[in-house]
């Protein structure tokens, strides 16, 4: 029997630790990429507006980690935004939002996302409770806004992959909803 | 080598897609159920090595499905991971009370889920 070479053993342990770390990083990367794929696929698979909203509800709950959101159409001609759907927050809070007013109105006006990494706090539906407010684009035009409010308690805070997911929602939610409206409208 | 079989039970399309994407990349065969009743049926018929059970499902929720699985001889000892949207202690306790072995919360953390799967499968 050969005596154990201590240095070789230590090197093997270090290599094992490196491989474990790399394996975990790959698994996390697979999760992150799968989330983006699932989000895009779910939104574009829907052929009715209600299907897009159901997909959005699942994405917000299962991928972002929130049960509160509000979706708006932007009516630039009349200077306000109109609530399309709300989940987990009272709809009356969003009856009259002018473009340029508050976080939601500002996002509609500027087309720039608002993100609070630590998550929103305060009364549900208030500006303080917004975790992310995203412009929804078709091409370069902002056609709506998605506001995501409190995060689930165990979620804690947003991480970098969440920001990638927000980019996907910003680019794909409005086209998916528009397609579903046309497709469903053409069939009924 | 015979692949281990995992039963995924969730009514959410997005959750199923994420879980499948994670598990299919590993050496597992994955079968799917979309409600608690279907999960119990499939578990009895397909004899999975492990079950991943969402709490909120139509027809029969995950807690009830878990309770029933623990009353059936062939699934009594099958490892079960519960998936909850809320990680509050009372939800977790309810899961353990009905016989689950472990739990994860949504949004799914891939490395965490895979680690728990491997641990329960003795890998």
């Amino acid at each position: 029997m050969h005596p154990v070479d201590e240095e070789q053993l230590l090197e093997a342990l270090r290599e094992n630790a490196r491989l474990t770390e790399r394996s975990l990083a790959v698994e996390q990367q697979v999760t992150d990429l799968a989330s983006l794929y699932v989000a895009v696929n779910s939104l574009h698979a829907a052929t009715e507006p209600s299907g897009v909203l159901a997909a959005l509800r699942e994405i917000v709950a299962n991928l972002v980690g929130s049960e509160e959101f509000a979706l708006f159409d932007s009516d630039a001609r009349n200077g306000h935004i109109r609530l399309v759907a709300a989940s987990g927050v009272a709809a009356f809070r969003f009856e009259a939002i002018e473009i340029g007013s508050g976080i939601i109105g500002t996002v509609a006006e500027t087309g720039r996302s608002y993100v609070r990494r630590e998550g929103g706090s305060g009364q549900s539906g208030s500006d303080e409770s917004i975790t992310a407010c995203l412009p929804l684009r078709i091409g370069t035009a902002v056609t709506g806004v998605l506001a995501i409010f409190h995060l689930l308690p165990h979620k804690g805070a947003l991480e970098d992959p969440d920001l990638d997911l927000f980019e996907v929602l910003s680019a794909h939610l409005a086209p998916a909803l528009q397609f579903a409206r046309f497709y469903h409208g053409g069939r009924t | 080598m015979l692949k281990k079989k995992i039963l995924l039970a969730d009514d959410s399309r997005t959750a199923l897609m994420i879980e499948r994407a994670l598990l299919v990349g590993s050496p597992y065969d994955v079968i799917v159920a979309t409600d608690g009743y279907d999960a119990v049926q499939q578990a009895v018929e397909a004899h999975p090595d492990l079950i991943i059970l969402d709490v909120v499902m139509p027809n029969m929720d995950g807690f009830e499905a878990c309770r029933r699985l623990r009353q059936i001889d062939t699934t009594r000892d099958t490892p079960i991971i519960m998936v909850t949207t809320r990680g509050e202690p009372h939800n977790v306790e309810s899961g353990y009370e009905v016989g689950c072995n472990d739990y994860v919360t949504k949004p799914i953390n891939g490395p965490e889920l895979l680690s728990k799967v491997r641990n329960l499968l003795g890998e």
Side-chain angles (χ1 to χ4, degrees), chain A residues 27 41 58 62 67 154, chain B residues 12-14 85-86 106 118:
Chain A
E27 285 173 1
N41 187 295
E58 287 200 8
N62 295 336
E67 291 180 320
H154 62 267
Chain B
S12 158
R13 188 168 174 273
T14 55
T85 303
R86 295 183 169 273
K106 290 179 181 175
R118 287 190 203 107

Side-chain angles (χ1 to χ4, degrees), chain B residues 42-53:
Chain B
Q42 289 215 47
V44 169
E45 288 166 12
H47 307 293
D49 297 287
L50 182 140
I51 300 168
I52 298 175
L53 203 55

Side-chain angles (χ1 to χ4, degrees), chain A residues 63-78:
Chain A
L63 305 183
V64 177
S66 170
E67 291 180 320
E68 300 175 0
F69 70 84
L71 174 66
F72 304 89
D73 271 342
S74 181
D75 183 356
R77 194 177 301 165
N78 293 310

Side-chain angles (χ1 to χ4, degrees), chain A residues 23-24 27-28 30-31 34-38 41-43 45 55 58-59 61-65 67 152-155, chain B residues 10-18 21-22 26 84-88 105-112 114-115 118:
Chain A
S23 168
L24 284 173
E27 285 173 1
Q28 187 58 55
V30 169
T31 310
S35 292
L36 300 180
Y37 165 75
V38 166
N41 187 295
S42 302
L43 290 173
E58 287 200 8
I59 289 166
N62 295 336
L63 305 183
V64 177
E67 291 180 320
L152 288 165
H154 62 267
K155 170 78 177 184
Chain B
D10 202 313
D11 65 317
S12 158
R13 188 168 174 273
T14 55
L16 281 176
M17 285 174 78
I18 287 281
L22 288 169
S26 306
T84 75
T85 303
R86 295 183 169 273
E88 281 100 337
T105 51
K106 290 179 181 175
I108 296 284
N109 177 315
E112 181 192 18
L114 289 169
S115 164
R118 287 190 203 107

Side-chain angles (χ1 to χ4, degrees), chain A:
Chain A
M1 204 169 123
H2 298 287
V4 176
D5 183 325
E6 196 175 334
E7 189 49 44
Q8 275 185 332
L9 182 62
L10 283 173
E11 183 50 40
L13 287 171
R14 281 194 290 267
E15 179 64 10
N16 186 273
R18 278 194 295 270
L19 288 172
T20 302
E21 194 178 327
R22 198 168 158 189
S23 168
L24 284 173
V26 169
E27 285 173 1
Q28 187 58 55
Q29 202 172 18
V30 169
T31 310
D32 298 341
L33 290 172
S35 292
L36 300 180
Y37 165 75
V38 166
V40 172
N41 187 295
S42 302
L43 290 173
H44 289 292
T47 55
E48 293 184 14
S50 61
V52 176
L53 295 177
L56 176 62
R57 197 171 292 115
E58 287 200 8
I59 289 166
V60 171
N62 295 336
L63 305 183
V64 177
S66 170
E67 291 180 320
E68 300 175 0
F69 70 84
L71 174 66
F72 304 89
D73 271 342
S74 181
D75 183 356
R77 194 177 301 165
N78 293 310
H80 63 258
I81 57 177
R82 183 180 65 85
L83 181 69
V84 175
S87 183
V89 282
F92 73 84
R93 289 188 159 274
F94 313 111
E95 274 171 5
I97 298 182
E98 291 178 9
I99 291 177
S101 165
I103 291 174
I104 296 169
T106 301
V107 169
E109 182 179 56
T110 62
R112 283 200 296 272
S113 297
Y114 169 89
V115 175
R116 187 182 280 145
R117 276 191 177 248
E118 71 275 21
S121 58
Q123 193 169 21
S124 207
S126 65
D127 270 7
E128 293 71 35
S129 70
I130 294 176
T131 294
C133 192
L134 313 172
L136 306 180
R137 294 192 179 86
I138 295 181
T140 54
V142 176
T143 64
V145 174
L146 173 68
I148 298 172
F149 299 91
H150 295 114
L151 293 172
L152 288 165
H154 62 267
K155 170 78 177 184
L158 297 173
E159 294 170 12
D160 288 345
D162 295 311
L163 307 187
D164 294 334
L165 186 56
F166 291 160
E167 288 292 321
V168 162
L169 287 171
S170 197
H172 289 268
L173 178 53
L177 195 56
Q178 197 74 336
F179 164 76
R181 283 169 175 161
F182 284 137
Y183 186 80
H184 183 63
R187 285 162 54 95
T188 53

